[in-house]
Amino acid sequence: QLVLTQSPSASASLGGSVKLTCSLSSRHSGAAIAWLQHQPEKSPRFLMSLDSDGNHDRGDGVPDRFSGSSSGADRYLTISSLQSDDEADYYCQAWGSGIEVFGGGTKLTVL
Amino acid sequence: QTQLQESGPGMVKTSETLSLTCSVSGGSFRLFYWSWVRQSAGKGLEWIGHTQTTGKTYYNPSLKSRVTMSLDKSKNQFSLKLSSVTAADTAVYYCARVEGPSFCGDAGCLWYMDVWGKGTTVTVSS
């Protein structure tokens, strides 16, 4: 069964950078994922799709401050030049065996 | 530019059926899968299901016995029915467009939600 694991919280300073992690269950370590941003009181926003080699495709209008990378079963979202409105929940999501799976989400606080 | 808008009752009584509709404007309706996702207060995103104009559907196994998704191609709308609701079904319900397949490999392909509606809050109470 596909499982995506994320740390519940992360924090970083305004203007700095942060790297969020999504870990795939070992049997699915080669799978591609999508990263979503969910700001308070807004609908989720697709940020990018990301494969096991680190190739990624950003969604329309997503700035290149958002980048993706991969290592083994881990998929990363790096946000640089942090802004206050980057404060949000970030989810990874993948498709496996006819089921869409979300990670538990990481709440990012911008200090 | 594709836009999605959820509609339906904001309140449903316990044990009754929740019914929501998503209206799609702009872009192609027939080429994509369409999805429902929900978020209960204080919890993460939960996938409900995907449906497509060919009639193919995929449902979350934990909800499958209570979920029916359907489409109206003439109106560019798709719908969700969730039966026998309880307070645990109180949530913000989002409809979304499903993009894919992409990044196909030995581990399969990625299907992901790339366009989302604004969401609608549904409260279940007695």
Side-chain angles (χ1 to χ4, degrees), chain B residues 49-71:
Chain B
H50 288 346
T51 188
Q52 209 240 7
T53 54
T54 59
K56 188 82 171 172
T57 57
Y58 298 91
Y59 295 144
N60 186 326
S62 68
L63 298 170
K64 187 174 183 177
S65 63
R66 299 193 291 130
V67 170
T68 304
M69 293 177 63
S70 60
L71 306 98

Side-chain angles (χ1 to χ4, degrees), chain A residues 2 4 6 21-22 24 31-37 45-52 55-59 68 70 75-77 90-95 100-103, chain B residues 45 97 99 102-103 109-114 116:
Chain A
L2 174 60
L4 306 177
Q6 299 182 252
T21 304
C22 173
L24 289 140
I33 69 156
W35 281 107
L36 303 169
Q37 177 193 58
R45 176 194 186 192
F46 168 70
L47 293 177
M48 68 180 68
S49 53
L50 171 65
D51 74 0
S52 59
N55 300 303
H56 57 279
D57 288 332
R58 291 186 199 87
S70 297
R75 307 286 177 266
Y76 305 107
L77 173 68
Y90 290 85
Y91 293 90
C92 55
Q93 169 256 305
W95 174 260
E100 202 77 80
V101 177
F102 288 101
Chain B
L45 299 173
R97 186 180 78 176
E99 178 64 89
S102 70
F103 287 134
C109 298
L110 175 67
W111 296 82
Y112 58 92
M113 284 72 87
D114 70 333
W116 294 72

Side-chain angles (χ1 to χ4, degrees), chain B:
Chain B
Q1 182 175 342
T2 300
Q3 293 184 311
L4 288 74
Q5 178 66 59
E6 304 88 351
S7 59
M11 196 160 289
V12 183
K13 290 189 184 304
T14 303
S15 80
E16 295 189 347
T17 296
L18 177 160
S19 296
L20 295 174
T21 296
C22 182
S23 299
V24 180
S25 58
S28 172
F29 187 69
R30 294 173 185 270
L31 292 180
F32 294 93
Y33 276 85
W34 303 94
S35 182
W36 290 97
V37 176
R38 70 181 184 180
Q39 185 177 38
S40 302
K43 296 193 175 181
L45 299 173
E46 180 182 26
W47 174 67
I48 299 172
H50 288 346
T51 188
Q52 209 240 7
T53 54
T54 59
K56 188 82 171 172
T57 57
Y58 298 91
Y59 295 144
N60 186 326
S62 68
L63 298 170
K64 187 174 183 177
S65 63
R66 299 193 291 130
V67 170
T68 304
M69 293 177 63
S70 60
L71 306 98
D72 186 335
K73 288 176 276 190
S74 67
K75 295 182 179 179
N76 281 11
Q77 292 178 335
F78 61 103
S79 299
L80 168 70
K81 291 189 187 300
L82 181 65
S83 63
S84 304
V85 297
T86 69
D89 296 308
T90 294
V92 179
Y93 285 76
Y94 297 98
C95 60
R97 186 180 78 176
V98 182
E99 178 64 89
S102 70
F103 287 134
C104 295
D106 293 341
C109 298
L110 175 67
W111 296 82
Y112 58 92
M113 284 72 87
D114 70 333
V115 181
W116 294 72
K118 294 187 189 310
T120 187
T121 299
V122 179
T123 302
V124 179
S125 71
S126 55

